[in-house]
Amino acid sequence: MDRGEEPVLNQSLLEEPSSRNSPAEDPQAKSLPSRVWIETKKLWRVVGPAIVARLAGYSMNVITQAFAGHLGDNELAAISIVNNVILGFSFGLLLGMASALETLCGQAFGAKRYPMLGIYLQRSWIVLFIGCILLTPIYIFASPILKLIGQTDEVAELSGVVSLWVLPLHFSYAIQFPLQRFLQSQLKNFVTLWTSLVVLVFHALISWIFVYVLDFGIVGAAVTLDISWWLQCIMLLVFVTCGWCPLSWAGLSMEAFSGLWEFVKLSAASGVMICLEFWYYRILILMTGYLEDATLAVDALSVCMTINGWELMIHLAFLAGTGVRVANELGAGNGQAAKFAAKVSVAESSFISLFICVLVIALHDKIGYIFTSSTDVLQEVDHLSYLLGITILLNGVQPVLSGVAVGSGWQAWVAYINLFCYYIIGLPLGIVMGWVANLGVLGIWGGMILGGTAVQTVLLAIITSRRDWEKEARTAGQRVKQWSTPDPDTRTEEQQ
């Protein structure tokens, strides 16, 4: 097929479709509102479907926990622990490792080196599959690990059974996460949106059948997650390999095994960056469990974290959208356009978080009714609602700046910043405010926000604002050349 016949993949990322037959137009010459509107449309082509897909995936776990909750308290505790601790650990690490594709595929797409997207996808499959194998002992020895950190024998044993049954789900991450980033980097993520919605409905149906109709109990609840995640994997795999990505997928290639070490280093940096962040607030819940009135504190904090988790899905979608837009523009050699894309994304994400923050604070004494009718828990949620509002406000900026880092390839720097802010400043400050100052959960969470999240956001903002974006574009161009096979068109021109 002639390259000129590909209207979507081959048009310039900075031009409207109608401009292909007209003289080149400088985007800087347009008015600011016009530029913002154009960038907003490009950004939301990724963010919109990503929000729906992430909310659907989050809701699948909620559905499973809801069905398990009707089986008994121990079953609910076991499913919750496996979802949030066992699966949560591998989810955060493997999701982060897959985000290396947002850098490489996004920049290769911007540079119009489309065949390399398929090569990068296969390299990511290899690296993540090896990562899954290395993480498997956590699932096999889940029961003794949980006993070691203080879980009761009954809950730990049941969690160990569930963790073995969700091993297939664990390995699905190695296939699905790279596929999602491969598709979103070339703006084909609407397929992820629709498959997520289909699988969500399917998951609710088979959960009811397995748990109630077939009476498979907690094992049935775990198996439904395996089936649903692998169903989406298969649907995305069929889309990619059966002709809907003709320029970026040319079949399996031995070239995927070359340059693996460099790919491993970028994937590892990405994994550490996301995992350190992903685990930060899970540690908050674990620390709260050691307070004197732990049950009340954990219940109230769980309500706040659930609200925060749902809201965070919006800004994680902005992380993905920002990563794609920045990577696309840097790959195309447009440093100033990448900088402008970052500014628009931060502004729009911040506006959404500000609106939700105001809503949470205005309804501070009512938001707990969504999850509980306990007077004590409602009062504790009321006390924590202002910290929840601050956390939501920071959500509007921090993930977007992480998206800029992913799109630019700064993952290693951000991993060091996360380690410093979260675990050297934030956690100790939370411990001091929680126990030494005797402020309880309010002190732990407040210390972790002020010492960790807020400091990290300020540092990322300073780094982002001081970058030389034209230099970043040149670096992206060098990375694409270094990690790519020679472009056929360029090679032909050189031979002539």
Side-chain angles (χ1 to χ4, degrees):
M1 182 179 291
D2 188 87
R3 291 174 68 91
E5 293 176 6
E6 294 292 331
V8 176
L9 284 177
N10 287 292
Q11 71 185 39
S12 168
L13 291 170
L14 296 180
E15 297 174 356
E16 294 298 303
S18 61
S19 66
R20 296 183 65 203
N21 298 320
S22 60
E25 184 177 4
D26 182 9
Q28 302 295 328
K30 296 185 178 183
S31 65
L32 180 60
S34 177
R35 292 172 60 205
V36 169
W37 175 242
I38 291 171
E39 178 57 40
T40 297
K41 289 191 293 183
K42 293 177 180 179
L43 177 66
W44 278 87
R45 283 186 65 184
V46 181
V47 171
I51 289 175
V52 176
R54 288 177 184 274
L55 286 174
Y58 190 87
S59 298
M60 276 169 42
N61 286 339
V62 174
I63 289 171
T64 299
Q65 288 187 205
F67 275 99
H70 290 286
L71 296 173
D73 292 342
N74 287 335
E75 285 80 358
L76 176 59
I79 283 287
S80 298
I81 288 170
V82 171
N83 270 338
N84 293 301
V85 180
I86 307 298
L87 279 170
F89 180 80
S90 60
F91 180 94
L93 184 58
L94 295 171
L95 181 70
M97 291 175 68
S99 72
L101 286 183
E102 295 181 26
T103 304
L104 298 174
C105 286
Q107 292 181 359
F109 182 78
K112 302 185 187 301
R113 304 296 286 271
Y114 307 124
M116 287 310 301
L117 273 69
I119 302 299
Y120 293 149
L121 172 63
Q122 293 170 60
R123 287 178 186 168
S124 188
W125 280 340
I126 295 168
V127 171
L128 264 68
F129 185 76
I130 294 172
C132 283
I133 293 174
L134 295 177
L135 292 170
T136 296
I138 296 175
Y139 291 79
I140 296 174
F141 300 106
S143 181
I145 290 172
L146 291 171
K147 290 177 183 178
L148 191 64
I149 63 175
Q151 286 296 326
T152 63
D153 288 351
E154 190 172 3
V155 171
E157 291 292 343
L158 196 55
S159 298
V161 172
V162 174
S163 68
L164 290 175
W165 279 100
V166 296
L167 257 178
L169 165 58
H170 166 65
F171 279 91
S172 75
Y173 292 158
I175 305 297
Q176 184 169 159
F177 290 162
L179 281 170
Q180 290 173 341
R181 274 131 198 87
F182 170 81
L183 290 167
Q184 78 179 20
S185 294
Q186 49 191 312
L187 308 181
K188 291 180 178 287
N189 55 333
F190 270 93
V191 64
T192 306
L193 182 156
W194 290 113
T195 55
S196 297
L197 292 177
V198 169
V199 170
L200 178 62
V201 174
F202 174 79
H203 180 72
L205 177 61
I206 64 168
S207 294
W208 174 72
I209 293 174
F210 275 51
V211 175
Y212 287 130
V213 178
L214 300 179
D215 198 23
F216 287 161
I218 192 170
V219 170
V223 170
T224 60
L225 282 173
D226 296 333
I227 295 172
S228 298
W229 274 82
W230 272 105
L231 174 61
Q232 186 164 17
C233 280
I234 293 169
M235 293 167 72
L236 294 178
L237 200 58
V238 168
F239 182 87
V240 168
T241 60
C242 293
W244 283 278
C245 299
L247 292 183
S248 54
W249 177 260
L252 298 175
S253 171
M254 290 301 295
E255 190 179 347
F257 291 93
S258 65
L260 270 181
W261 178 239
E262 292 298 322
F263 198 95
V264 166
K265 289 194 291 185
L266 182 60
S267 295
S270 302
V272 171
M273 182 191 89
I274 298 295
C275 196
L276 288 175
E277 191 170 313
F278 193 82
W279 264 85
Y280 191 51
Y281 286 108
R282 279 163 173 74
I283 292 174
L284 167 61
I285 296 176
L286 290 175
M287 289 171 62
T288 304
Y290 291 97
L291 293 172
E292 290 183 7
D293 194 359
T295 302
L296 177 61
V298 170
D299 286 347
L301 188 61
S302 297
V303 169
C304 292
M305 287 296 102
T306 302
I307 295 171
N308 181 60
W310 265 325
E311 196 273 342
L312 185 59
M313 293 301 108
I314 299 172
H315 303 294
L316 290 178
F318 269 95
L319 186 157
T322 307
V324 170
R325 288 295 304 128
V326 169
N328 285 173
E329 297 297 357
L330 290 178
N334 302 315
Q336 291 305 311
K339 180 180 179 180
F340 185 73
K343 288 180 177 179
V344 170
S345 187
V346 168
E348 295 186 1
S349 179
S350 299
F351 178 80
I352 292 172
S353 66
L354 177 62
F355 173 78
I356 298 175
C357 171
V358 171
L359 194 64
V360 165
I361 292 175
L363 301 174
H364 63 93
D365 57 343
K366 299 179 178 64
I367 55 174
Y369 284 106
I370 302 172
F371 302 96
T372 183
S373 57
S374 168
T375 304
D376 292 337
V377 175
L378 287 171
Q379 288 179 349
E380 190 67 19
V381 171
D382 186 10
H383 293 151
L384 295 175
S385 61
Y386 294 97
L387 277 179
L388 175 60
I390 294 172
T391 304
I392 288 172
L393 198 60
L394 290 171
N395 285 348
V397 181
Q398 185 271 330
V400 181
L401 295 178
S402 294
V404 176
V406 168
S408 306
W410 311 334
Q411 287 95 324
W413 281 100
V414 178
Y416 287 121
I417 291 172
N418 286 356
L419 179 63
F420 175 74
C421 294
Y422 289 153
Y423 298 93
I424 296 178
I425 299 179
L427 277 181
L429 185 59
I431 292 170
V432 169
M433 292 180 66
W435 278 278
V436 179
N438 201 29
L439 294 175
V441 64
L442 202 65
I444 298 174
W445 191 2
M448 292 175 72
I449 290 175
L450 295 174
T453 310
V455 173
Q456 185 233 27
T457 302
V458 170
L459 288 177
L460 286 180
I462 292 172
I463 291 172
T464 303
S465 64
R466 293 189 174 184
R467 303 303 287 191
D468 182 340
W469 287 94
E470 294 306 325
K471 182 179 179 181
E472 293 296 329
R474 291 193 295 270
T475 301
Q478 292 169 1
R479 182 183 291 114
V480 170
K481 290 179 181 178
Q482 177 185 350
W483 289 36
S484 299
T485 55
D487 183 72
D489 292 346
T490 305
R491 188 167 51 197
T492 302
E493 291 173 4
E494 290 176 351
Q495 292 173 348
Q496 292 175 348

